[in-house]
Structure formats: C-alpha cells, structure tokens
Amino acid sequence: MRKYEAKDIKVLEGLDAVRLRPGMYIGTTGAKGLHHLVWELVDNAIDELANGHGNCVSIILEPDGSVCVEDNGRGIPVDLHPTLGISAVEVVFTHLHAGGKFDNENYAHSGGLHGVGASVVNALSEWLVVEVYKNKTTFRQEFEAKEIEGKMKGGVPKFSLFDTGIQGKKQGTFIRFKPDARIFDTVNFNVETIARRARELAFLNKGIKIIVEDSRSGTPSRKEFLYEGGIIDFVRYLNETKVPSYSEPIYISGKEGGVLLECAIQHTDAYTDNLFSYVNNIPTTEGGTHETGFKTALTRVLNGAVRKAGLIKEKDDNLKGEDFLEGLTGVISLKMASVQFEGQTKTKLGNVEAKSAVETIVASGLAKYFEDAENKPILDSVLKKAVLAAKVREDARKAKEISRAKNSIDSFNLVGKLSACSGKRPEQNELFIVEGDSAGGTAKQARNRAFQAILPLRGKPLNAEKKRIDQVLANEEIRTIISALGAGIADDFSIDNLNYHKVIILSDADQDGAHIRAILLTFFFRYMKQLIQDGKVYIGMPPLYKVHKKDVIEYAYDDNELEAAKSKVGRGYDVQRYKGLGEMNADQLWETTMDPKRRTLIQVSIDDAFAAEMLVSTLMGDAIEKRKNYIIENANFNREDGFR
Ligand code: 0RA
C-alpha cells in the first residue's frame, strides 16, 4: 500500500479546490455538469484518436451509476514522471490542468474550456478506475473519495499504477468512474443527451467510431456513430428534411497560419440559413471571427461570380451576404491553439487571426471549386437563388419604405401649398393644379373659392414612368398632389375619399406646359388609374389669343378661331398672343379658363388599356413634338361644357 508524502497532500489540495467549487471547473453541479464529466474523458480520447492513433471510443452507462469511457489509442503513458516520481497516469488523474490536454505539439489544437481534464472527473467521483493497455499488458490504478484526517478528499489513489500481468494485444485507455452523489444534484445520465453529442463528435471527427451503450436497464441499448464523410455527412444529415439545390455538399479544407479549417455547405429551398460552427469540436453558438471570415469570403467570391455571369447590371449594387446565405446549410470546423471565447455564454470565437485565415481558405477553396467546369450547374443554381433572394429583399425594403412614405403623406402638411375651397362637397369641388407660382397666384384671385381649390406646382413633378414607387413618393410635388386629393395611391387608392371630383390640370400652352401635363397624366395613370377611368381628370384650356376693340373682347383657342374672332370684332382690332397663363389677369383667367359657364375643359378618358399604355409610354418619350401630337391625336379627349 501506498504511503502519503508531503507532495501528495499538496496535490490533493489541488483537487480539494475542485470539490469546493465544482462550478468553476464544470459549470454547474446539475445535469449539465454531470454530463460534462463524460465529455472531459471523451474529448481526451478523441484528441488521441484524431492524432491518428486508434479509431474508436465507447461510452457505456453501467447499472451502478458509473460510466465507462474506453478508447483504442496508444494508452496514457505509464512511465514515471521525471520530477514528480509518480506515473504519468497518476499525474493525469491527480494534477489539475495536466489532465488530458498536454502542452505538447501533438495536442497543439486543444484548448478552450474543455480539457481541464481527467483530474476534475477524478476529484468529483466517488471512485474511478483506469486501465491502460500497452506493451501487450494491462496497467491499473484506482482512486476514491475518502476522509483523510477528518476531511473529505476526492481522487485519492488507492494504490500506485501497477502492471496486472493480464496479457493481451489490445491497446488503449479504459476509464470507469462513478460521479459522487454528494457533489451533484442529480447523478442520472441521459442517454439521449449523450448520443446526440456523440453523433455530433462523430460528424466532426471523420472515421472515428463512437459507441454509446446503455446497460442500466434490462434491455440494453447500443448505438454506433461513424461517418467516413465527416462534416459532409453532417450537412447531408442536417438537410435530410429539406430539398437541396444540388446533390453533393461543397467541401473546403485548408491550413493557414496555425488554423486548420474544414467546411461543408449545401444550399436548400429553405429561406433561412443554418450555419453550425465549431472550434476544437466545441460549438460556437454565438459565432465569432471564423463565421465572419466565412461569410466575407462567400460573399466576395459569389459576388464576383454574379458579375462575371452578367446576372446583375454593372451599376447595380453588390448582393449582400444574406442573399448568398439564404437556404444555406453549413458546418465550419476549426482547429487552433490559444482559443479565446467571448460573448454572453462564452460561445463566440474572439481570435482575430481566425477571420483572415478562414477567409483566405474559403475564398481560394470556393474559387477553385467553381472554376471546375463540372461544378458550373451548381454555381448557376447558387447564383440564381442569391439573385432571387436579393430581389425579394429589395422588394420587401421598398414595400416598407412605401408604407412609411404613405404614412407620412397622410400627415403631410399642405399649409402654404394648397388654397383649399370652403365647400365641403367633393362632387362639386374642383382642384386646379396650376403650373408655376405666379399663375397659381392669379388663379387664386380669379377662382370662386366656394368650390375651387388651387394647387400651384413649384417645380416639375417627377416622371413616374421612369421611377420606382419609393422614388415617386419621395417627390415633394407628387406628395402634395396625393395629399390634396386625399384618396391614397396605388393599391390603397380609394375614390370614395377623393376631395375633388374635378381635377383640372392648368398649364401653359407651350412645350413646358405639355411636358408637365404629360408627367401628371402619367402619374395619375400609373398610380391613380381609377381617377382617369372615372373621368375625374381634365385639362384646362387657356386661350392662345385675345382679340379686342374698345370693350369688345373675343378669345381664340387656335389659329382658325383667331380668324373668326378677327372678323367678328371687325376693323381696328388688337390681337394679343398669350405666351403663358401668367400674362392674363385674374378677370381674364376667370372668364376664359375657370368659369364653368364659359371655360373649355378636356376630359381625359382612356378606355382602351393598350392605347393608354402606348399613350403613357409615348408621353414619356424624349421627342416633344411627337408627344404633343400624340396627346391631341390619340388620347380620347372629349370636349365638355361646349366650346365657350
Ligand atoms: C500523451 C502521450 C501518449 C498518449 C496519450 C497522451 C493519451 C492520452 C489519453 C487520454 C485518454 N486516452 C488517451 N490515450 C492516449 C503517447 C504515449 C506513448 O506513446 O506511449
């Protein structure tokens, strides 16, 4: 039997700290902390196997509440530690931070919260047995929690490591431990929890078989997880319930500046992304620098491909990362030393060097993959999906902006713009949309304010034909018109709310005037079609000439009428040619253009949808003459109120 020396007591004091504050080492003393014990040992085993020594680890839940974790690696070293004078096995189980993860180049990729190691499991166990199969024989050591000098100690060696002499060819490490019920709130293992993580570890470590056995009940269960495809199989598994856009996941791996990366991706018909990242087999649920590097590379390479394929116009913005991520299932697995975890739950990778390393590997890997002519159809489907995602995103953004703009129109301030009429009956009310502030001023003086409202246009309204609805709504003049009419716009247009049943466009009889008229008609046609269909839109007709002699006045609206007017007035007449509305005084404007008894209005009615479409698109063409003629010849304008 073994005799305790001063140095052993010191070691046990280290394990005391673990028993005193288990939470510091395994997070909690609840179910999560309990299962953590298993993962400590499994992680160590996988580290050994992942280095190419062995290929199998088994986890067995025993009826007595203990758990066995066995691997077929090289076996924990059994030789004496050069300074401590005990076996390496004993060091591993009794020294904090020495357990499992060695500062050895074989274990360059170990790190993180895991790997506090086997000594923690030992410290928190009622008892623990380790067997090392090596050199064709079996070594064994046992530990237990016991009272020493009136104090409870955990992980106390019952005896030193010894060669049992039991011969065999097998190699590896076997550990069986029973969690101490005095430490844990529960000592009941959940086999589902264990199997789920075992499957994940099997995906992350291709070629390693993980066996989970539950021998606690009369009907033992056994599951084996082995994935030769590794994270490629992981992605396939994740996509089992989805429809993949292409049959094989894309796999990329590489090494860059101490970072070892593997990633596998496959797009599906889903709308969200499903990205899982790991660092040293630890899930990084909160993401971090590696995910950022991945997304940056994906976005950069695929945006290049989108342009190369001519799927967007040169002047168009790049697609966003989220467009390429839509429906993407992906697994990113990183191995690196000196891992820094950040975030709320310490599941976010903080190492900045990981971003550039991942970005480099993924960018060159993806580029290479898509250069291959064989993969052209995959690239095409990825790009097509992303372009569609971008379009949907852009449409949604517009819809949001439009509803915001519509809301702002509801509360749009018309003070100082609209001179409203006093009458409250829309069927009798008229809105004059007048070109220019000065003509607007004259119209204001001329009008019958009981039923005539005046809305002067300060500048040219936006040409709605060439713009998206959000841009149209951003235009001040157009917002003023929508607001004054009060009936909304587009799908929201409701003729019942219309404030004026005659909307009269009053512009100069020149090219500018024709242009403004065309712009307004286009806007009404595109965004308030019913206004035109119901015959509520009119064009006011100011005269072109005034023929007068003393107090006899005749107005003429074209050259034929001018001749008629001249002969009617007789010798000694004077002819004035109006170049614009502004040249008329208020009385003249009233008499010729605004007085319902004397004015001429052209009612705009477009019956034929195709003709209307032609009209509007021609109106918006650049040939001003053609446009002017088109208005006169093709639009179904009817004269109302007679001629004078
Ligand atoms: C360090 C060196 C060697 C093996 C191991 C550690 C080792 C540790 C664990 C923990 C669980 N299972 C393990 N298997 C191996 C190599 C020893 C040698 O070559 O003799």
Side-chain angles (χ1 to χ4, degrees):
M1 275 296 126
R2 195 186 153 97
K3 134 175 181 286
Y4 288 95
E5 294 168 9
K7 66 171 169 47
D8 296 317
I9 302 297
K10 215 170 157 199
V11 166
L12 290 176
E13 276 168 3
L15 296 191
D16 281 349
V18 180
R19 279 185 83 91
L20 204 63
R21 290 196 184 80
M24 293 269 289
Y25 299 87
I26 54 164
T28 72
T29 52
K32 203 162 175 214
L34 179 77
H35 288 79
H36 203 103
L37 300 181
V38 179
W39 306 132
E40 285 296 342
L41 299 184
V42 171
D43 285 353
N44 292 344
I46 286 182
D47 275 350
E48 171 70 3
L49 306 181
N51 277 296
H53 313 289
N55 57 7
C56 183
V57 49
S58 76
I59 305 162
I60 304 169
L61 303 180
E62 300 286 1
D64 63 357
S66 68
V67 184
C68 301
V69 177
E70 179 173 354
D71 68 68
N72 64 351
R74 291 165 299 173
I76 300 174
V78 294
D79 33 35
L80 280 192
H81 190 279
T83 54
L84 297 175
I86 52 173
S87 72
V89 170
E90 191 172 327
V91 174
V92 163
F93 284 94
T94 56
H95 285 65
L96 271 181
H97 304 296
K101 316 284 161 135
F102 295 78
D103 283 335
N104 170 318
E105 64 233 35
N106 289 333
Y107 291 84
H109 301 306
S110 303
L113 294 175
H114 292 229
V116 287
S119 60
V120 170
V121 178
N122 193 22
L124 300 176
S125 292
E126 191 183 313
W127 52 259
L128 183 145
V129 176
V130 53
E131 283 184 358
V132 174
Y133 313 112
K134 218 179 175 69
N135 311 334
K136 301 197 173 63
T137 186
T138 304
F139 299 87
R140 186 178 173 95
Q141 186 169 21
E142 294 182 19
F143 306 85
E144 65 182 341
K146 69 181 239 186
E147 234 182 74
I148 297 177
E149 290 159 9
K151 273 181 75 181
M152 201 57 203
K153 300 273 177 195
V156 182
K158 286 166 88 170
F159 41 79
S160 300
L161 183 79
F162 72 102
D163 185 347
T164 62
I166 300 169
Q167 310 266 296
K169 276 188 286 191
K170 90 169 181 184
Q171 257 204 174
T173 304
F174 167 92
I175 298 160
R176 181 171 178 175
F177 70 97
K178 185 167 194 241
D180 197 328
R182 290 162 290 198
I183 302 279
F184 292 95
D185 313 335
T186 168
V187 286
N188 190 18
F189 286 103
N190 181 339
V191 72
E192 306 300 330
T193 304
I194 290 174
R196 200 178 326 116
R197 172 66 178 159
R199 185 200 301 278
E200 186 177 49
L201 282 168
F203 279 132
L204 292 169
N205 298 278
K206 70 180 123 207
I208 293 180
K209 185 196 282 185
I210 304 178
I211 300 165
V212 177
E213 239 181 81
D214 187 357
S215 306
R216 291 173 302 183
S217 69
T219 48
S221 75
R222 185 187 145 95
K223 281 191 176 120
E224 272 190 31
F225 304 103
L226 169 62
Y227 300 101
E228 294 297 349
I231 59 170
I232 299 177
D233 290 339
F234 198 169
V235 167
R236 280 203 194 95
Y237 174 82
L238 291 167
N239 281 347
E240 251 169 30
T241 57
K242 304 191 168 87
V243 180
S245 311
Y246 38 92
S247 65
E248 292 300 310
I250 301 168
Y251 175 79
I252 290 163
S253 68
K255 197 180 167 174
E256 179 77 30
V259 171
L260 212 81
L261 172 81
E262 268 192 293
C263 79
I265 57 172
Q266 186 180 36
H267 289 83
T268 70
D269 64 346
Y271 295 113
T272 53
D273 66 287
N274 206 12
L275 199 59
F276 294 88
S277 66
Y278 298 85
V279 177
N280 301 338
N281 293 335
I282 303 161
T284 36
T285 322
E286 293 173 284
T289 50
H290 53 337
E291 284 197 13
T292 308
F294 168 81
K295 289 175 186 172
T296 306
L298 183 80
T299 309
R300 178 152 53 86
V301 171
L302 292 179
N303 256 319
V306 165
R307 290 204 181 274
K308 204 174 158 201
L311 291 172
I312 59 172
K313 298 199 190 81
E314 208 167 309
K315 63 171 170 51
D316 285 350
D317 285 343
N318 269 340
L319 269 58
K320 290 192 170 183
E322 63 195 73
D323 302 329
F324 299 112
L325 286 170
E326 191 183 284
L328 179 118
T329 297
V331 175
I332 300 173
S333 176
L334 219 71
K335 301 277 164 70
M336 65 182 290
S338 320
V339 179
Q340 286 159 350
F341 288 110
E342 300 173 347
Q344 282 272 288
T345 55
K346 292 268 177 279
T347 57
K348 181 178 180 181
L349 183 66
N351 300 59
V352 283
E353 71 275 18
K355 180 186 177 289
S356 53
V358 173
E359 195 180 327
T360 304
I361 298 167
V362 172
S364 76
L366 269 183
K368 206 168 151 228
Y369 183 88
F370 287 129
E371 266 165 29
D372 193 336
E374 220 176 89
N375 298 323
K376 175 85 167 57
I378 298 176
L379 179 62
D380 289 346
S381 89
V382 168
L383 298 183
K384 220 175 102 193
K385 184 174 169 63
V387 169
L388 185 67
K391 192 189 168 308
V392 170
R393 168 175 58 75
E394 185 59 19
D395 288 351
R397 186 190 63 77
K398 267 188 244 161
K400 217 164 164 187
E401 243 168 55
I402 289 160
S403 84
R404 203 180 298 137
K406 278 177 182 167
N407 289 341
S408 78
I409 283 167
D410 291 343
S411 55
F412 197 74
N413 194 356
L414 285 168
V415 173
K417 295 187 175 93
L418 175 76
S419 300
C421 55
S422 51
K424 297 291 176 223
R425 294 168 65 184
E427 318 80 64
Q428 292 176 0
N429 290 347
E430 302 178 346
L431 177 70
F432 283 86
I433 301 175
V434 186
E435 173 185 356
D437 256 346
S438 98
T442 310
K444 234 172 104 176
Q445 289 173 11
R447 68 170 172 157
N448 181 340
R449 62 174 299 144
F451 64 97
Q452 292 181 322
I454 309 295
L455 181 67
L457 291 182
R458 277 166 193 158
K460 267 191 193 171
L462 191 79
N463 179 358
E465 185 67 5
K466 292 173 181 164
K467 296 288 181 288
R468 299 191 315 253
I469 186 168
D470 51 311
Q471 294 171 298
V472 170
L473 286 172
N475 181 264
E476 180 91 358
E477 303 297 334
I478 286 188
R479 282 149 64 102
T480 310
I481 294 168
I482 300 167
S483 186
L485 293 179
I489 181 175
D491 300 340
D492 290 348
F493 183 80
S494 166
I495 200 111
D496 298 338
N497 297 332
L498 191 64
N499 291 329
Y500 307 92
H501 281 219
K502 279 197 176 72
V503 179
I504 303 164
I505 300 168
L506 206 54
S507 61
D508 290 337
D510 59 9
Q511 294 188 347
D512 257 7
H515 193 212
I516 285 178
R517 208 154 54 228
I519 285 175
L520 288 172
L521 288 176
T522 301
F523 169 70
F524 290 138
F525 182 72
R526 289 290 180 220
Y527 294 102
M528 299 185 182
K529 202 172 216 157
Q530 204 189 345
L531 200 65
I532 297 182
Q533 283 169 338
D534 287 13
K536 311 258 187 241
V537 181
Y538 299 83
I539 292 167
M541 294 285 283
L544 283 177
Y545 304 99
K546 181 172 102 173
V547 182
H548 63 113
K549 189 171 78 183
K550 291 178 190 149
D551 46 0
V552 187
I553 299 174
E554 288 290 320
Y555 296 100
Y557 291 82
D558 59 32
D559 288 351
N560 290 336
E561 287 185 17
L562 176 62
E563 294 313 313
K566 282 176 184 171
S567 37
K568 195 168 176 191
V569 174
R571 251 175 242 286
Y573 58 80
D574 240 353
V575 177
Q576 186 188 349
R577 190 182 200 288
Y578 292 120
K579 289 191 204 74
L581 293 163
E583 290 181 9
M584 274 181 264
N585 63 33
D587 288 344
Q588 291 169 341
L589 189 62
W590 169 253
E591 283 170 30
T592 61
T593 314
M594 295 177 73
D595 178 4
K597 294 205 179 66
R598 287 176 282 183
R599 71 190 175 191
T600 298
L601 292 180
I602 294 175
Q603 186 179 37
V604 181
S605 77
I606 302 172
D607 308 317
D608 179 331
F610 177 72
E613 191 64 43
M614 281 297 292
L615 167 66
V616 167
S617 44
T618 307
L619 288 177
M620 294 348 288
D622 293 320
I624 291 161
E625 272 315 306
K626 189 176 164 209
R627 182 168 60 232
K628 222 163 118 186
N629 294 338
Y630 207 99
I631 292 173
I632 293 159
E633 291 164 20
N634 295 7
N636 184 10
F637 293 162
N638 303 314
R639 297 212 152 181
E640 195 209 50
D641 293 339
F643 204 82
R644 244 158 296 177

